[in-house]
Amino acid sequence: MKNIIQLSLFAIVVLLSSCNQGEKIHTFTDVEKEQTLMLGDSISKIAQATLMQNVSKAMKEGGPVHAVEFCNLQAMPLTDSISKAHHVTIQRVTDKNRNPNNSLKTDGERSAWGKFKETFSPQPVEPIHFVQEEDQTLVYYKPIAIGMPTCLKCHGAPEQDIDGATAQKINEKYPNDKATNYQLGDLRGMWKITFAAVDGK
């Protein structure tokens, strides 16, 4: 699977890099968009599985307090390492961020978030994900839901789902936290995977 993803990524990078001769504005083909959609889905699944495995391990080792500590120190380095391995930029963004780095910042992010807010269902009939053109590149977006009761130990209702020690740790690490009061199945955020820009930026 890794080899297939790497070869496909190389093919897309070559296609994108060859499309900007003479500063021409490139119009992406349906084939390029479909390839990017499939690759984005594969990479997002790898990123999701990696994060969940590590967060679950942290929960088992020291409960939700330890999990908050783990996410504060290791969540972004983990996604960065997956980004480097696949030659893309992976982010998790949301309107109710815990880490300030995960807030909605660009018009593209706000547009994608608006689409998910309108169409999201915890049990969709068809996969909800898409690619859109941003600054001469293709960007993949996929929703992230509160998928397990364990998630509520850090993202549920204070004093009901989140115990006092965990709330204290969250406040210590994230004094401007917005990421609580979720329920199971709620839309939590979205994966954003940015592929190599046409102009090589």
Side-chain angles (χ1 to χ4, degrees):
M1 174 64 78
K2 274 190 176 180
N3 288 337
I4 293 172
I5 291 175
Q6 288 171 347
L7 286 171
S8 300
L9 280 169
F10 177 75
I12 285 181
V13 169
V14 170
L15 279 169
L16 298 182
S17 299
S18 66
C19 292
N20 198 41
Q21 300 301 321
E23 298 298 324
K24 294 179 181 178
I25 296 176
H26 174 62
T27 301
F28 291 96
T29 67
D30 290 341
V31 171
E32 288 173 312
K33 291 179 180 179
E34 186 62 29
Q35 287 179 334
T36 303
L37 187 72
M38 291 188 294
L39 283 169
D41 191 46
S42 296
I43 295 169
S44 68
K45 286 177 180 176
I46 291 170
Q48 180 80 18
T50 301
L51 278 177
M52 292 307 297
Q53 287 169 4
N54 282 276
V55 171
S56 295
K57 181 181 178 183
M59 288 286 284
K60 289 178 181 177
E61 290 175 347
V65 171
H66 183 56
V68 171
E69 189 83 37
F70 166 82
C71 288
N72 179 256
L73 296 173
Q74 298 299 330
M76 293 195 77
L78 271 176
T79 54
D80 286 347
S81 67
I82 299 169
S83 293
K84 290 177 182 177
H86 296 288
H87 309 288
V88 295
T89 301
I90 303 173
Q91 298 167 271
R92 291 177 299 154
V93 292
T94 181
D95 64 342
K96 292 173 62 178
N97 53 285
R98 175 154 288 172
N99 187 326
N101 292 322
N102 299 137
S103 63
L104 300 172
K105 298 181 179 71
T106 70
D107 290 340
E109 290 170 357
R110 286 185 282 271
S111 172
W113 185 248
K115 292 176 184 177
F116 287 138
K117 292 282 280 188
E118 291 177 3
T119 62
F120 178 76
S121 168
Q123 296 181 324
V125 176
E126 296 180 356
I128 305 173
H129 59 173
F130 57 86
V131 296
Q132 61 187 26
E133 297 182 35
E134 298 177 20
D135 299 324
Q136 284 292 281
T137 191
L138 290 174
V139 183
Y140 171 89
Y141 290 99
K142 182 179 183 178
I144 301 171
I146 298 291
M148 300 185 299
T150 305
C151 300
L152 299 178
K153 293 183 180 294
C154 296
H155 293 289
E159 298 182 5
Q160 179 179 327
D161 303 305
I162 304 173
D163 63 33
T166 305
Q168 183 177 348
K169 179 61 68 174
I170 291 170
N171 186 59
E172 174 191 326
K173 296 298 182 181
Y174 306 99
N176 298 309
D177 176 51
K178 303 174 186 176
T180 57
N181 289 305
Y182 285 99
Q183 297 180 9
L184 196 62
D186 282 354
L187 177 63
R188 166 74 184 95
M190 61 185 180
W191 288 106
K192 176 185 179 182
I193 301 178
T194 306
F195 289 77
V198 171
D199 59 6
K201 289 181 181 178

